[in-house]
Amino acid sequence: MKKQLLRAKWQLCQIGTGDWMDARVPGSVLETLLSHHRVENPYYGKNEYKVREEFRKDYQYRCVFTISEDYAREEQIDLVFYCLDTLAEIFVNGKKAGQACNMHRTWRFSIKELIHSGENVMEIFFCSPIQFVESYVPEENRKITMVNTGTMYGSQYLRKAHSMFGWDWGAQLPDIGILRPVELQAYSGARIAETEILQRHEKGKVKVTVRTILELFSEEAYQIKVQLTSPDGQITAAKADKDGNVDFTVEHPQLWWPVGYGEQPLYQVQVLLEQQGECIESRDYTIGLRTITVSQDRDEWGSEFALTVNGVKIFTKGANYIPEDCIYPWITKKRLEELVDAALFANFNCLRIWGGGYYPGDDFYDLCDRKGILLWQDLMYACNIYDLNPEFIQNIEEETRDNVKRLRHHACLALWCGNNEMETAWLHWAETKNHPLSLKRDYLLQFEYILPKIVGECDKQTFYWPSSPSSGGSFDDPDSENRGDAHYWEIWHGQKPFSDYRKHYFRFCSEFGFQSFPSMKTICSFAEEEERNIFSEVMESHQKNPAANGKILYYLSENFRYPKDLPSLVYISQLMQGMAMKTGIDHWRRNRGRCMGSLYWQFNDNWPVASWSSVDYYGRYKALHYMAARFYAPLAGSIKRDGSCIEAWAENETQENCTCQVQMLLQTLNFTVLYSEANEVDVPALSSVRVMDRDFAELISGRENQVFVQCVFVFDQKGEKKRSTETELFVPFKYLKLRKPDLKAELAREDGEYRITLTSDTFTPFVNIDFGERDAILSDNFFSVTAPEKYVVTIKSLREPENPKKSLEEDLILQTVQSTY
């Protein structure tokens, strides 16, 4: 097969204007308009709304490309689009080649009869997505009135990333374009249509079956050969049988594990299509040898929901992923890798690919394979109702086939999930329940028959779950705490206290969250100084969840003193976000076995905004992300407080036993030790253990606001020790008699890295180390100074401005709770 990427000079114009601009492909209309300064930055101020109107227009791409006579002589020539967004008609040399209506699909058009050697002209006409959804006319008695918070009406009528039409954290920028490469494929006689790779694990060995299906255009003889290369480079090759199957038996297999449970060895599979001994096409795949399923075994509480890898039930730790940008061409491999590395930093072992976005490109899944991040893969449906007419059914069937076949071989793929929150919506959301029963029936048809049937046909080895949350489908109590997965939003939307998490023992909590503001540097990127007030028009335009800023202030009033300025408010909002998530996750980790996973909402942002993310649009880690690195650590300690009673717990989410020594101290805010006790316990692999407990009622009586508890955890695993510290108060921070610290920071460069050494003369909670002009990722941040000893952190990465006005040391900024009032 001959392949040719169409990297020719592309041009773009609004249809009817003749005003052509040079364009990049892969690329989009918005990216092109920005590069030619035709629109203002949609992320600045309130520009989003003006820029949004550009997508009421129709656009045309065109390019001239050349093919050789040798290329033109091939029997078949296909034009392949890996992502057309969304409503497109394609013409080659003035003749229609085809049309597209789904950004989630790969589109293949035969153009043999339209193409010739030499120069050829391709034109692609895109219709406005906004005009389409606003003018869509459903059948009588099937009108859909539901509009999700922050979104534009009608997004369910178009197979385009729903969040492009806005969300309660996202801008309304339904861009248009050619988002992935365009390729010509020329071949004669046959091509590889698909390859399926199956694994059967037995004791001490794995049988790998490679099944290849050909698309044949002649009766000539073709041979399929397959090579399997082990992680250490050993090659095994075999010819396929008449059905296209090759079986390999891998003795002593190197198993793939999620990060934290083992290594990630990867095998290479190469499929060769040969004619008369000559290779005419090849396909390459990377696989990991492992089993993954979801255990729903019955137990004393109901039915568990546990991701099970190679027979080991793991506690899933992670968050929900959304597209990294509203401008999809700006989602680069570099940014993807930075985001996956951010997941590793926070000790995630899983990400949920949320159903209101898109199916990421191959680079993302390759990174997760290599780095050991499991993926909960939603199909792209979220918080919506769909008009299940014959055309829509055929469209989503092909979409599912395309993506399941593309992704099924990846080691990181843990499960398929039908949709986000649609089963529970039909039972509990007023804006959903008021729709005709025929649409409710269609929900069952779509997510419990059509889609699982196709997923099962195309991927025989990956677990399918109908919705999130769900107890298994059929509207059977999808929000049950005793089976399936749960979403819990009473903390935040219901304004319940953080402690409410401890009343719930979900089997797997796949969504829960708390908002915060992004860093001041991020706010300054979109708001001028006069707009830097959380109730200004600009700040509210970058806050898509109604009443959210008021909720932040409510929770602030419950926990902290009123901050003196916006930077202090931003800092406190991030502390509360981290405290909320830590409260829930610590509780669920302590109840490992009953609860087997937590995925907080949300991991990242798609533009600069106040949201539930732990990493903002510019890749800046919020307090939550640093806290997650601690509360999601494989070996972690936590404190449970009930009134004056304190319990210290140790969690071991590794496959090796360890010991844990805990020193529990009651201290004054000036570090005077009033009580100290130590204990050591064995902590088996994959367990949580209560180490010790103490009732401090007598010792704290009359001075609850002048003391704190510190627990120092020292884990010992095969002689390797890990130390961590947890603190607990008996009153909210707003009542604590904190005094201004004499906080000192020294910056030095040692052994090729920058180190920051801090000391304080008083209890200093949540020290934030930042820089005015620079961005840095630190080894730790938002930590508490709990003793007079030195605390040392290192700079893991540093992003310098082009022309810094200050030295690194002069640029250093320290924030503390005491500095906010």
Side-chain angles (χ1 to χ4, degrees), residues 783-797:
F783 52 83
S784 296
V785 178
T786 58
E789 288 79 23
K790 296 177 179 179
Y791 194 93
V792 180
V793 299
T794 60
I795 297 178
K796 308 294 287 184
S797 71

Side-chain angles (χ1 to χ4, degrees), residues 527-592:
E528 294 296 332
E529 187 169 359
E530 62 270 18
E531 292 287 347
R532 292 173 198 160
N533 180 299
I534 64 169
F535 298 117
S536 74
E537 279 192 279
V538 168
M539 289 288 284
E540 288 192 341
S541 292
H542 288 253
Q543 166 58 276
K544 298 299 185 181
N545 185 230
N549 290 350
K551 287 188 175 75
I552 290 173
L553 292 182
Y554 165 75
Y555 278 103
L556 187 153
S557 71
E558 294 292 297
N559 291 280
F560 289 93
R561 297 186 184 184
Y562 195 79
K564 63 186 181 184
D565 53 24
L566 181 59
S568 299
L569 174 57
V570 167
Y571 164 73
I572 293 294
S573 77
Q574 292 193 13
L575 298 188
M576 293 191 298
Q577 180 188 33
M579 290 164 59
M581 297 299 92
K582 176 176 169 57
T583 301
I585 290 165
D586 280 352
H587 166 64
W588 294 321
R589 287 195 70 177
R590 286 194 292 266
N591 287 277
R592 189 195 196 282

Side-chain angles (χ1 to χ4, degrees), residues 488-492 496-506 509 511-514 579-585 587-588:
Y488 188 66
W489 285 102
E490 288 302 305
I491 290 103
W492 182 254
K496 290 188 176 180
F498 304 157
S499 59
D500 191 71
Y501 282 123
R502 293 199 289 265
K503 298 178 181 178
H504 301 279
Y505 298 83
F506 305 112
C509 199
E511 259 198 43
F512 59 105
F514 192 95
M579 290 164 59
M581 297 299 92
K582 176 176 169 57
T583 301
I585 290 165
H587 166 64
W588 294 321

